[in-house]
Amino acid sequence: MGKHKSPARYSAAGLAWRGLRNKSWPRVWREPELKSAYDVVVIGGGIHGLATAYYLASNHAITNVAVVDKAYLGSGGSGRNTAIVRSNYLTPEGVAFYDRSLDLYNTMSTDLNINVMFSERGHMTLAHTDSALRTMNWRAEVNKLQGIDSSVIAPDEIKKLSPSLDTSPNTRYPILGALYHPPGGTIRHDAVVWGYARAADAYGVDLHQKTEVLDILCEGGAGPNGKGAGGKVTGVRTNRGDIHAPVVVNCTAGWASTIASMAGVRLPITTHPLQAAVTEPVKTFLPTVIVSGSLHVYVSQTDRGELVFGASVDPVANYDMKGTLEFTEELAGHVLELMPGLSKMRLMRQWAGLCDMTPDYSPVMGPTPVDGFLVDVGWGTYGFKAGPVSGEQMAACIAHESMPDLIAPFVLSRFTDGTLVGEKGAAAVGH
Amino acid sequence: MTTRLPAQPNEVIDRSKPLAFTWNGKKMRGFEGDTITSAILANGEHIISRSMKYHRPRGVLTADFWDPNTSVQVGDEPNVRASHRALVAGMAVSAQNVWPSLKYDAKAANGLVGRFLTAGFYYKTFMKPAKMWPAYERVLARFAPGGKVDLDTPHGYHDKRYAHPDVVVAGGGPSGLAAAVEAARAGASVMLVEHEHDLGGHLRWGSNDDADALAGLVAEAESAGVEILTNSTVTGRYEDNWLAIAQRNHPIAVERLIKARAKVLVVAPGLIERPYVFAGNDLPGVMTSGAVRRLIAMYAIRPGNRAVVLTANESGDAAIDELERAGIEIVKVIDARTGATVTKASGSKSRVKAVTCSDGSIVDADLLVTATGWTAPTSLLNMSGDRPVYDPASARFFADSPPDNVLTTGGIAGDGNRDELISHGRSTGRLAAARAGVARHRIQAATTRATAVDGPEPAYPDDTRSPLGRDPHPELFRSTSHGMVDFSEDISSKDLFGAAAEGFDSVELLKRFTTATMGPSQGKLETVNTVAVLAEARGETLAEVGTTVWRPPYAPIALGALAGRVFEPVRVSSIQPWHEANGSTPILAGQWVRPEHYGAPQQEVRNTRANVGITDVTPLGKLDLQGPDVAKLLSQLYTNKWMQLAIGSVRYGIMCAEDGVVLDDGVTGRLGDEHYLMTTTSSGAGGVWNWIENWLQTEHPEWQVHVTPVTTGLTSINVAGPNSRELMSRLVGDDIDLDPDAFKYMQVRTGTIAGVADCVVWRIGFTGELSFEIHVPSGHGLHVWETLLGQGESLGVAPFGLEAQRIMRLEKGHFIVGQDTDGLSKAPTTGMIGLLKFDKDDWAGKPEVAWALEGDYPRIVAIQPTDPSIVPDEACQILREGTKDIVGRITSSRFSPTLDRAVCLGQVTPEFAGPDTTLTVQLVNGEQITARVMQHHAHFDPEGERLRG
Ligand SMILES: Cc1cc2nc3c(=O)[nH]c(=O)nc-3n(C[C@H](O)[C@H](O)[C@H](O)COP(=O)(O)OP(=O)(O)OC[C@H]3O[C@@H](n4cnc5c(N)ncnc54)[C@H](O)[C@@H]3O)c2cc1C
């Protein structure tokens, strides 16, 4: 059984107590020794890796687990994303899955005892063309049947919800309607990462930062060094030494295909940078999340007043996280197209993260042809919102050695037996 | 009470030009040359803002662009940096983060509970009750710093400029100026970009000799032909010296973006003075030495009356002289080089009153000047891929190994007296020009040009500059007490210690957890102190802790400047003016504006079916393909066969992406031996062109095919209806024989129409009627259109719009790619199984399509609601009766005037695709109706007798 050492509880009273006594909080997580063997090694200290470790411990009492990350926790997409969560997807598989994630987000603050600032501020996807409007109607109809709160609204209603939008018909890309999803919103991404890390640590999971996986150790496979189909995993080689483990989980998002190839597994994934930017803070005026597929842009305003912008992935596959000038130009152009009144606001910072794109805009989860080597990857531009449910289901998959229904559609083998998942339409720029 | 000093020798204000402005509604006066804060200070006020979290009063700290607590609202513009922005007559300036007013701020109470508001406190509370978070959130949002956006601010135009200078120098201090001068003299085209309003860097507040030297350098720069941009910032350095320059002093645009590709970038931004961390360091009246020197020398402002100076360097020593010269009493000098320091500043709520020194003494003072060291603004180096290295002996960071086309000079490169700095700048300028010369030679040699490049490539110049020295400097970051580290975010060293103890003990985690360095100055003032405090907490050196990565922009840049003009033209056909003049309702279809209808679409359908209609189909994508290998290309892209297409014939084809999903469809005709015209869907035009180029350039570079997009070069008109042949016969020249046996269905002819030569006509039938699609050179489009209308009057001709066209194609059961198919519909879904030629060697998507055929792919079927009067909306779901299981959806629906009933296309699972299957359709209002699957896709004339007629 997991020895659950409850961490110092966060609460207003605790804040006051420590404030008065000038006492600081205990460490959020330990800095453990690197052991030479674990039951499970999770590669990647982002939301997916940490949630998997947490649910392994909390739901299945598997606590001899290490999470290794080459940098710091949350240094990948999990600390760079724009933290939009929603569940108004298109396919029944997609909806069921993301809806479960929203459920977990809803209770996360109390479950993990950390305020993840889930802000159900509503999510609006704008339609500027006939065909976009048609797709939105389609999504709304599907969502209705699945009990998801999501409907198509007209420009006057859009204006009421978000007065800063130019809903007049004389713009270059007039707003014809929007898919409005009240339960969608934003969340504080770092808090989620830290929340899972802290809770997993309390169960005894070892978190190893600055520990880079250099190779995956295998035996019995058809390829060189026992890698590849038919073999099984025996551990990982890191910059701090070898770790033996019968189960290794790849949760490395943008780096997923390079890590998988260390085990001789080829993934149908290409990595593209996705860029984002924030402005200087201003008093809050934008109550909802705004997404425009035609203009390749989405916007939300943080509680601090900064506008956070994102776009679609860079067109050319690469691993560069520097960001481009052209991105900011196109972004600003499109934002002002939607909200011309913002022309005097200033862009304060831009950055990029890496997205692991699959051909059908859906993840790859579960076993691979190498026994014991599992993946939870292919999260592209939409993986943050899926973190909790993925962790929960991956943990179940590892514990029961079988694919849970919720993630069954996402198996790797779908690419070789022609059963792709149909989220392409709903996911492009669909953060 | 004014604090304006008598005239200073090198002041930048013009006392002959007073300017009136208001500060929080109060009328004030300043002078031309003032910044907003110098003008406010001159009027005797010194609180400029309230701090973000604790709402503590804040004043001037650095008196330059990075002054952290001096953001103000000016009219409709939020977050104006008041210590930088030049005062303009009539400005309405107000404080931002205050409620109800700057003086009596109700939220200052936060200061009392400050102990509980440790960094990241919000992660630890407000969790319960969960339902309350939205309410807490609204309260927290009240604390959002920053000004107010006026949503009526006009977008305006901010046209951009493109430049290709040999050398860009970022920073116009003595070194940067000297570099620019020498580079220009060596023949380079040079752009010198200075962040502040005037050139000179620290010479601007130096001695009279400094002023003379500066004037000399500026004169040299002007005569050498350097392009000087002041109040402008190199905000970003991207791949290969692609630079973003924000020009803030442009006469018309508020801010303009200059995009420059520099052959060499010289980074000379000087140094930023670092504030010191100690208790009370954020009280108004605590300033850096640079701040007091600037205030006195440039703006003739008396920064206080009784000063304590903490100095560790020449700048602090110079501040002492400057204060004395201005007649300000110096009550104590603390020389940090001897190990002494300040431990605390205390005072009333709004100003320093006393300073506690490390020897225990307490002195009364209303001004505390600190000179504790420098931060190298290594942003542009970082963006060049360099990871600066910390040098403990001089207590600052230096470049490691920037790329060859990025050079540093001035303070960022080392220390020296004025002459040494200038001389380093000069040698840097020469090196920059020489390296730019090689780059220029390489570019010229690599491009095809009329005149050949002169001579061989010059040798690449090595860096033989004698480096600047590095003055020793004590490592002074924090005193023995805790104070502010991040003034804009209200983060103290105590917060940082606490966070580090909690385990957020790498720079990145610390930054994220506390938000230190995340505010508007993006770490220019705070990063090094943050790193230093963390190093202290961890018992490590600064080098071990490392820094975070600086990201663009170096200084914030207006969205309006980045956006520029939107270059996304609306496309229209040459006939659009006629449509507009003749009562059409326009519709936006992708990039195009086209007529939706001319008043009565149903009537347009009836007329076309009964007589003849004409419609403008110019947005159809059109690609002119020429060359011996066109047929191979077509075979590769379309699922059907193209090698045997006869000259004079057209064929319909479907294109798939490599995953077998339908990408586009259209008709392509063979006009000559090696000459074809391809049409694509309107929305697919650009994508198909790219797709073709992709095949030609990367997969089959050996194929000889020229592709020319001619979508707008040809105006396209469809003439449809039983009278269409008669109408066409009144227009065509002798070169086109319209006899049904001579010009059959699915054939193409070129010739003269309405006197216009070189037209292309083909017989196809999207509407299901006998029809001719004509493509005429655009200049004659309107002429042909009007001639059709004129000649066809007796035949009942009338124009029809997009809506009528959509109705007719639906009656005829033609699917539309992207409407009746979606991102997952593979070719078999369309029902066009006969077009999938597996005996062809290869075509894009072939294996995937073969696969799909073996599985349960959804089918497009024609559907008719049982009740003919109900038209289910497009997107209505088709359910398994009595359940919520989705088995399909309506993809197209209209009321058919021809059949006088509702007609639809839809996608259903195979189980429901058989003819006469009864479907359950859920309407948008939740009601359910039944509908029937039809035998054929075509609701009307399934045998196609009309169009072959
Ligand atoms: C700009 C941007 C905006 C986004 N916006 C949204 C959004 O609004 N909503 C949404 O749902 N999703 C969004 N996403 C996507 C989302 O961020 C990711 O899908 C998600 O964070 C992936 O989480 P992860 O845990 O799988 O991977 P990551 O968080 O990327 O973690 C992978 C980790 O693996 C580590 N790693 C890599 N290689 C090695 C190695 N060899 N050894 C050890 N460790 C290694 C990395 O250091 C990293 O920490 C966005 C992404 C970006 C870049």
Side-chain angles (χ1 to χ4, degrees):
Chain A
M1 269 312 288
K3 33 188 183 336
H4 189 179
K5 302 179 296 298
S6 178
R9 282 205 71 74
Y10 292 160
S11 66
L15 275 168
W17 187 81
R18 286 174 199 269
L20 284 173
R21 284 167 189 72
N22 258 328
K23 260 188 82 128
S24 64
W25 292 85
R27 285 189 67 90
V28 261
W29 49 73
R30 297 161 296 132
E31 241 173 333
E33 292 293 309
L34 188 70
K35 295 196 283 183
S36 62
Y38 287 93
D39 294 342
V40 179
V41 170
V42 177
I43 312 173
I47 182 173
H48 284 265
L50 292 167
T52 301
Y54 167 73
Y55 290 110
L56 273 172
S58 68
N59 291 359
H60 307 285
I62 299 174
T63 58
N64 186 22
V65 176
V67 178
V68 296
D69 197 290
K70 65 175 178 178
Y72 57 95
L73 299 181
S75 52
S78 299
R80 295 163 190 269
N81 69 83
T82 42
I84 295 171
V85 295
R86 66 182 174 91
S87 69
N88 55 346
Y89 278 71
L90 190 52
T91 57
E93 300 96 312
V95 169
F97 179 76
Y98 289 103
D99 204 38
R100 172 71 189 148
S101 221
L102 265 190
D103 282 350
L104 291 169
Y105 270 129
N106 261 314
T107 57
M108 186 176 287
S109 286
T110 41
D111 291 350
L112 299 182
N113 176 235
I114 185 170
N115 185 353
V116 294
M117 297 176 228
F118 181 32
S119 168
E120 274 193 319
R121 51 182 61 192
H123 181 282
M124 245 198 282
T125 315
L126 304 176
H128 304 271
T129 63
D130 246 26
S131 60
L133 198 55
R134 205 174 298 117
T135 307
M136 276 168 207
N137 283 325
W138 174 17
R139 274 165 69 179
E141 289 307 307
V142 172
N143 291 158
K144 230 190 290 177
L145 284 162
Q146 285 147 339
I148 304 293
D149 185 358
S150 150
S151 57
V152 174
I153 58 176
D156 52 335
E157 233 174 306
I158 297 173
K159 185 83 186 169
K160 254 186 251 154
L161 285 165
S162 271
S164 53
L165 286 173
D166 184 351
T167 51
S168 70
N170 349 321
T171 59
R172 176 65 185 81
Y173 298 103
I175 296 171
L176 305 180
L179 185 65
Y180 181 48
H181 177 47
T186 58
I187 198 153
R188 179 88 189 115
H189 54 5
D190 287 334
V192 175
V193 169
W194 301 333
Y196 276 124
R198 170 169 166 267
D201 170 86
Y203 275 109
V205 170
D206 284 357
L207 309 176
H208 299 292
Q209 306 188 65
K210 296 183 186 158
T211 308
E212 179 169 5
V213 170
L214 306 172
D215 199 4
I216 294 181
L217 311 172
C218 302
E219 61 185 33
N225 300 324
K227 296 173 190 237
K232 69 173 194 191
V233 80
T234 59
V236 297
R237 173 153 300 153
T238 78
N239 59 338
R240 297 174 57 205
D242 287 0
I243 310 174
H244 296 283
V247 176
V248 172
V249 192
N250 176 3
C251 297
T252 55
W255 298 270
S257 55
T258 61
I259 297 285
S261 69
M262 291 177 187
V265 172
R266 225 181 133 202
L267 297 176
I269 283 179
T270 50
T271 289
H272 291 250
L274 176 63
Q275 304 195 48
V278 292
T279 64
E280 292 184 332
V282 293
K283 292 276 173 277
T284 50
F285 67 90
L286 186 68
T288 54
V289 178
I290 308 284
V291 179
S292 164
S294 316
L295 291 176
H296 306 291
V297 61
Y298 59 94
V299 195
S300 69
Q301 189 171 24
T302 66
D303 291 336
R304 293 156 49 83
E306 298 152 337
L307 292 187
V308 181
F309 301 130
S312 36
V313 290
D314 288 3
V316 181
N318 68 86
Y319 289 85
D320 190 349
M321 285 195 270
K322 284 214 276 285
T324 61
L325 174 59
E326 287 63 29
F327 159 74
T328 61
E329 294 181 85
E330 188 174 307
L331 176 80
H334 288 159
V335 166
L336 294 188
E337 194 58 38
L338 294 174
M339 299 182 265
L342 310 190
S343 66
K344 291 184 180 172
M345 283 188 72
R346 291 185 179 79
L347 197 87
M348 183 166 80
R349 182 172 67 246
Q350 71 173 111
W351 69 91
L354 301 180
C355 292
D356 38 341
M357 309 299 292
T358 58
D360 61 356
Y361 289 73
S362 293
V364 185
M365 300 177 80
T368 67
V370 174
D371 198 27
F373 181 63
L374 287 85
V375 291
D376 171 20
V377 299
W379 283 109
T381 63
Y382 33 83
F384 198 79
K385 62 180 75 62
V389 66
S390 305
E392 183 192 56
Q393 300 298 314
M394 282 302 292
C397 174
I398 295 163
H400 302 143
E401 293 182 31
S402 72
M403 277 298 265
D405 287 350
L406 263 187
I407 58 172
F410 305 133
V411 286
L412 175 59
S413 59
R414 76 177 182 275
F415 296 99
T416 42
D417 57 19
T419 49
L420 302 191
V421 184
E423 282 298 350
K424 216 165 173 174
V429 198
H431 295 270
Chain B
M1 181 202 66
T2 176
T3 60
R4 193 77 82 179
L5 294 162
Q8 300 294 305
N10 299 310
E11 67 183 24
V12 299
I13 50 171
D14 182 347
R15 295 183 190 239
S16 69
K17 293 187 181 139
L19 305 174
F21 70 104
T22 61
W23 169 232
N24 294 323
K26 193 164 143 191
K27 288 192 178 136
M28 290 189 173
R29 286 179 151 230
F31 294 121
E32 190 163 304
D34 260 325
T35 62
I36 295 172
T37 48
S38 71
I40 293 172
L41 291 176
N43 284 272
E45 291 203 13
H46 65 274
I47 303 176
I48 310 293
S49 73
R50 291 272 175 171
S51 73
M52 171 180 164
K53 213 158 65 176
Y54 307 121
H55 281 246
R56 290 162 64 98
R58 294 275 168 83
V60 170
L61 176 71
T62 66
D64 63 1
F65 192 93
W66 307 112
D67 211 348
N69 294 121
T70 57
S71 285
V72 296
Q73 180 93 25
V74 176
D76 64 0
E77 187 178 352
N79 303 329
V80 172
R81 288 160 189 255
S83 287
H84 172 81
R85 180 66 64 86
L87 187 70
V88 171
M91 266 183 172
V93 184
S94 51
Q96 289 189 157
N97 196 23
V98 294
W99 185 82
S101 77
L102 188 60
K103 273 207 184 104
Y104 309 100
D105 189 300
K107 292 186 202 133
N110 276 355
L112 300 177
V113 296
R115 296 203 234 180
F116 316 124
L117 305 188
T118 47
F121 74 97
Y122 31 78
Y123 296 120
K124 302 195 179 88
T125 184
F126 306 131
M127 274 97 67
K128 279 182 176 172
K131 287 264 167 309
M132 279 301 286
W133 169 242
Y136 298 138
E137 198 186 7
R138 276 195 294 279
V139 174
L140 281 185
R142 285 269 197 89
F143 286 91
K148 241 184 147 148
V149 174
D150 177 349
L151 295 179
D152 295 325
T153 308
H155 180 321
Y157 282 126
H158 299 63
D159 278 334
K160 294 170 192 173
R161 175 183 159 196
Y162 289 78
H164 299 84
D166 290 329
V167 176
V168 166
V169 181
S175 304
L177 255 168
V181 167
E182 287 308 310
R185 284 188 181 151
S189 59
V190 181
M191 210 178 231
L192 173 61
V193 186
E194 168 53 48
H195 187 62
E196 292 293 339
H197 299 279
D198 294 296
L199 294 171
H202 66 275
L203 300 184
R204 287 173 304 152
W205 55 85
S207 63
N208 288 342
D209 285 352
D210 286 343
D212 292 344
L214 171 56
L217 280 171
V218 173
E220 280 186 69
E222 281 166 357
S223 71
V226 172
E227 177 177 3
I228 298 170
L229 295 165
T230 53
N231 193 12
S232 301
T233 308
V234 180
T235 60
R237 189 269 184 196
Y238 299 88
E239 224 46 68
D240 209 11
N241 278 350
W242 183 225
L243 306 177
I245 301 172
Q247 183 184 7
R248 292 182 295 268
N249 66 349
H250 192 266
I252 21 183
V254 183
E255 227 175 76
R256 162 162 93 153
L257 178 65
I258 302 174
K259 301 169 73 175
R261 176 78 72 186
K263 295 182 190 72
V264 176
L265 169 66
V266 175
V267 180
L271 293 170
I272 295 175
E273 194 172 15
R274 203 159 56 216
Y276 188 48
V277 181
F278 59 94
N281 66 342
D282 64 327
L283 277 169
V286 178
M287 294 184 199
T288 61
S289 65
V292 294
R293 295 173 70 192
R294 283 186 278 277
L295 287 176
I296 297 171
M298 296 169 63
Y299 307 105
I301 296 293
R302 166 189 287 273
N305 297 310
R306 290 168 53 80
V308 171
V309 181
L310 169 66
T311 174
N313 54 41
E314 281 173 16
S315 178
D317 302 344
I320 297 169
D321 297 344
E322 194 77 20
L323 287 161
E324 275 174 344
R325 222 176 31 73
I328 293 156
E329 185 188 351
I330 305 222
V331 290
K332 187 170 175 109
V333 170
I334 304 165
D335 193 330
R337 288 159 292 206
T338 67
T341 189
V342 163
T343 56
K344 185 176 166 189
S346 41
S348 71
K349 271 196 179 149
S350 59
R351 177 108 208 177
V352 181
K353 285 237 165 75
V355 176
T356 309
C357 312
S358 52
D359 61 10
S361 61
I362 300 178
V363 278
D364 285 353
D366 65 352
L367 177 64
L368 170 56
V369 181
T370 66
T372 54
W374 309 99
T375 293
T378 53
S379 222
L380 290 172
L381 297 175
N382 248 194
M383 295 175 209
S384 315
D386 186 52
R387 275 286 194 156
V389 181
Y390 181 70
D391 176 9
S394 38
R396 67 179 203 255
F397 284 84
F398 289 94
D400 182 20
S401 55
D404 283 348
N405 59 3
V406 177
L407 303 173
T408 60
T409 186
I412 200 167
D415 299 300
N417 61 29
R418 188 181 66 224
D419 290 341
E420 286 164 343
L421 289 171
I422 291 175
S423 133
H424 189 266
R426 288 194 195 275
S427 52
T428 303
R430 283 189 291 269
L431 179 60
R435 288 193 174 171
V438 177
R440 195 171 46 218
H441 185 98
R442 286 178 186 164
I443 293 168
Q444 289 179 350
T447 4
T448 321
R449 47 202 308 124
T451 45
V453 161
D454 296 336
E457 182 177 311
Y460 196 76
D462 284 336
D463 185 352
T464 54
R465 294 173 293 169
S466 41
L468 284 167
R470 293 183 183 186
D471 291 348
H473 197 288
E475 291 190 271
L476 283 169
F477 306 105
R478 186 177 82 88
S479 178
T480 50
S481 55
H482 284 297
M484 280 301 152
V485 173
D486 189 320
F487 294 80
S488 22
E489 298 285 305
D490 253 2
I491 303 298
S492 72
S493 49
K494 194 171 163 211
D495 289 321
L496 298 182
F497 268 93
E502 269 188 64
F504 298 98
D505 52 2
S506 62
V507 215
E508 290 288 354
L509 285 178
L510 184 73
K511 163 181 148 189
R512 285 155 182 281
F513 182 69
T514 63
T515 74
T517 77
M518 308 265 274
S521 42
Q522 288 288 293
K524 303 288 182 304
L525 296 176
E526 311 89 356
T527 295
V528 175
N529 282 341
T530 303
V531 171
V533 171
L534 178 59
E536 203 186 333
R538 286 188 61 102
E540 289 179 349
T541 64
L542 270 79
E544 283 166 325
V545 169
T547 57
T548 56
V549 178
W550 306 74
R551 301 187 186 284
Y554 179 73
I557 176 167
L559 294 182
L562 287 170
R565 203 185 284 252
V566 177
F567 288 112
E568 289 182 47
V570 173
R571 302 174 78 183
V572 290
S573 96
S574 63
I575 315 174
Q576 186 63 19
W578 186 94
H579 301 314
E580 277 166 27
N582 287 275
S584 80
T585 300
I587 183 172
L588 193 68
Q591 298 173 318
W592 293 84
V593 171
R594 50 194 306 192
E596 183 173 15
H597 56 76
Y598 302 84
Q602 300 260 324
Q603 178 50 34
E604 290 164 23
V605 172
R606 281 190 211 101
N607 184 63
T608 304
R609 296 248 186 261
N611 302 306
V612 57
I614 61 174
T615 187
D616 182 354
V617 292
T618 303
L620 268 183
K622 295 178 282 285
L623 295 166
D624 184 89
L625 306 173
Q626 303 206 33
D629 296 317
V630 176
K632 284 188 201 156
L633 174 74
L634 298 175
S635 296
Q636 179 64 49
L637 299 186
Y638 286 119
T639 65
N640 53 345
K641 295 191 178 173
W642 291 82
M643 298 310 288
Q644 312 297 334
L645 184 69
I647 295 174
S649 285
V650 299
R651 189 165 285 172
Y652 169 81
I654 293 178
M655 287 184 199
C656 293
E658 276 162 308
D659 57 4
V661 168
V662 179
L663 192 72
D664 206 78
D665 69 343
V667 160
T668 292
R670 186 169 182 190
L671 309 183
D673 198 22
E674 297 185 352
H675 187 190
Y676 294 69
L677 180 65
M678 171 188 282
T679 58
T680 72
T681 60
S682 311
S683 55
V688 171
W689 181 26
N690 276 346
W691 183 231
I692 288 179
E693 289 293 355
N694 183 48
W695 281 98
L696 292 178
Q697 291 179 32
T698 67
E699 305 292 335
H700 288 289
E702 77 284 5
W703 284 355
Q704 295 182 44
V705 180
H706 274 296
V707 191
T708 316
V710 292
T711 302
T712 23
L714 297 173
T715 293
S716 306
I717 302 167
N718 193 291
V719 184
N723 295 343
S724 57
R725 183 177 287 118
E726 173 56 25
L727 174 54
M728 286 298 290
S729 72
R730 297 180 185 181
L731 273 82
V732 296
D734 295 341
D735 47 1
I736 300 178
D737 182 354
L738 289 173
D739 186 278
D741 292 326
F743 188 1
K744 296 201 182 87
Y745 179 58
M746 297 305 270
Q747 286 192 331
V748 56
R749 298 292 177 264
T750 50
T752 314
I753 296 176
V756 180
D758 295 329
C759 297
V760 177
V761 196
W762 53 40
R763 270 193 65 189
I764 55 161
F766 199 53
T767 57
E769 291 300 321
L770 169 67
S771 61
F772 297 84
E773 195 153 283
I774 54 191
H775 306 286
V776 305
S778 276
H780 302 288
L782 183 57
H783 161 75
V784 172
W785 178 265
E786 288 182 323
T787 310
L788 282 165
L789 288 171
Q791 296 288 328
E793 225 179 307
S794 59
L795 301 169
V797 72
F800 63 95
L802 187 61
E803 176 59 16
Q805 192 188 316
R806 284 177 176 169
I807 296 174
M808 286 187 275
R809 73 92 198 172
L810 180 56
E811 288 175 339
K812 190 62 194 155
H814 290 304
F815 66 90
I816 295 182
V817 174
Q819 171 165 350
D820 300 296
T821 70
D822 55 64
L824 229 68
S825 312
K826 294 185 182 172
T829 291
T830 64
M832 302 278 187
I833 309 292
L835 290 187
L836 309 175
K837 299 299 184 193
F838 292 97
D839 53 345
K840 263 205 303 182
D841 257 4
D842 186 28
W843 38 276
K846 180 179 169 190
E848 299 282 338
V849 168
W851 230 347
L853 273 172
E854 292 166 14
D856 274 351
Y857 57 89
R859 272 45 168 192
I860 290 179
V861 292
I863 298 168
Q864 293 190 356
T866 316
D867 178 341
S869 68
I870 298 178
V871 183
D873 283 324
E874 289 168 357
C876 280
Q877 299 296 300
I878 301 170
L879 306 180
R880 184 183 298 278
E881 200 190 344
T883 72
K884 284 190 171 183
D885 294 350
I886 298 171
V887 297
R889 69 179 200 280
I890 302 290
T891 55
S892 296
S893 62
R894 286 292 187 274
F895 189 81
S896 158
T898 313
L899 302 172
D900 200 28
R901 69 158 1 272
V903 292
C904 312
L905 280 180
Q907 269 194 38
V908 291
T909 57
E911 186 190 345
F912 290 84
D916 293 328
T917 308
T918 301
L919 301 176
T920 306
V921 179
Q922 172 152 321
L923 302 182
V924 172
N925 62 13
E927 249 174 64
Q928 295 191 343
I929 60 163
T930 58
R932 184 165 66 105
V933 175
M934 308 305 291
Q935 178 89 35
H936 301 282
H937 280 190
H939 295 271
F940 167 72
D941 186 24
E943 269 69 51
E945 278 157 19
R946 297 173 73 97
L947 87 176
R948 284 171 215 279

